[in-house]
Amino acid sequence: MADRIRRLILAAAAGTGLAACSPAAPPKPSFTSIDITGADYAKSLDLPDADGKMRSLADFKGKVTVVFFGYTQCPDVCPTTLAELVQVKKNLGDEGKRIQIVFVTVDPERDTPAVLKAYVGNFGGDIVALRGTPEQTAAVAKGFKVFFAKVPGPTPTSYTMDHTAGSYVFDAQGRVRLFTRFGAAPKDLQGDLKILLDEKA
């Protein structure tokens, strides 16, 4: 009996030693934004840009990409979000050059290519504006789980758009990683983007 106990103790000790020698899993990043790493949505973004050129997430590989859905006549959420994203990019200095901001209009009826170009040009920061047909826009929004709907105004052309107020962040490998809600502190997003910029492939 004593020999059996001794063998069990030796076996347990050997197992512990083997476990100690195996490489530890890298610590999970601590993000302030909502971590959606591994999500089964937000995988495809195939839409024309304001010049009519088809774009996809693969075009931005190597950069940390922030995707925001909105529209040019949005009174508050959209201009505030884009201004904050551009400022965060500037705050990161040279590293900010590896951040790509993508603006997807949910109002292609009024957001013509010329309107989109002028709008994103006001913010600087090399924002890529995407504009699909109503059908393309609906399909991409569904793939991102983004809600949008027209809210009638006093005239047929003075409607507004309700839409999801948040941004999706992709790492340099093109994988969706974060969702950040409107109203989040820009410094928190800046910290999250810095983590992704520092990640190894």
Side-chain angles (χ1 to χ4, degrees):
M1 183 69 174
D3 286 343
R4 182 168 175 273
I5 292 173
R6 193 161 74 86
R7 284 197 299 272
L8 288 171
I9 291 171
L10 288 172
T16 302
L18 288 172
C21 291
S22 62
K28 189 176 180 182
S30 180
F31 295 114
T32 303
S33 304
I34 301 169
D35 189 342
I36 57 172
T37 300
D40 62 354
Y41 54 92
K43 291 182 175 293
S44 176
L45 186 62
D46 299 312
L47 289 172
D49 63 18
D51 291 317
K53 179 183 176 183
M54 284 300 297
R55 307 301 292 265
S56 72
L57 288 170
D59 294 335
F60 312 118
K61 197 166 183 180
K63 293 186 175 184
V64 172
T65 303
V66 185
V67 178
F68 177 73
F69 289 75
Y71 67 114
T72 64
Q73 296 194 42
C74 177
D76 42 32
V77 172
C78 302
T80 299
T81 296
L82 292 178
E84 288 179 349
L85 289 174
V86 169
Q87 188 58 53
V88 164
K89 183 173 176 175
K90 287 180 180 177
N91 290 347
L92 287 165
D94 284 343
E95 287 187 298
K97 295 174 183 176
R98 292 173 50 219
I99 293 174
Q100 179 63 61
I101 303 166
V102 177
F103 177 71
V104 183
T105 179
V106 296
D107 185 18
E109 182 180 338
R110 294 181 299 188
D111 290 346
T112 64
V115 167
L116 273 176
K117 277 187 178 182
Y119 184 72
V120 298
N122 288 330
F123 296 95
D126 300 319
I127 300 171
V128 171
L130 302 182
R131 174 186 180 269
T133 63
E135 294 76 20
Q136 288 173 321
T137 303
V140 168
K142 183 178 179 181
F144 271 71
K145 295 191 175 181
V146 164
F147 164 84
F148 70 94
K150 185 184 288 189
V151 179
T155 67
T157 58
S158 65
Y159 60 86
T160 57
M161 300 291 292
D162 279 349
H163 62 93
T164 299
S167 302
Y168 290 85
V169 182
F170 294 78
D171 64 21
Q173 303 305 307
R175 300 169 298 203
V176 68
R177 300 293 299 277
L178 305 172
F179 179 77
T180 178
R181 292 192 180 101
F182 175 69
K187 65 179 179 61
D188 290 338
L189 176 60
Q190 183 174 320
D192 288 346
L193 295 180
K194 182 70 169 65
I195 292 172
L196 293 176
L197 288 169
D198 290 344
E199 277 188 350
K200 304 300 180 185

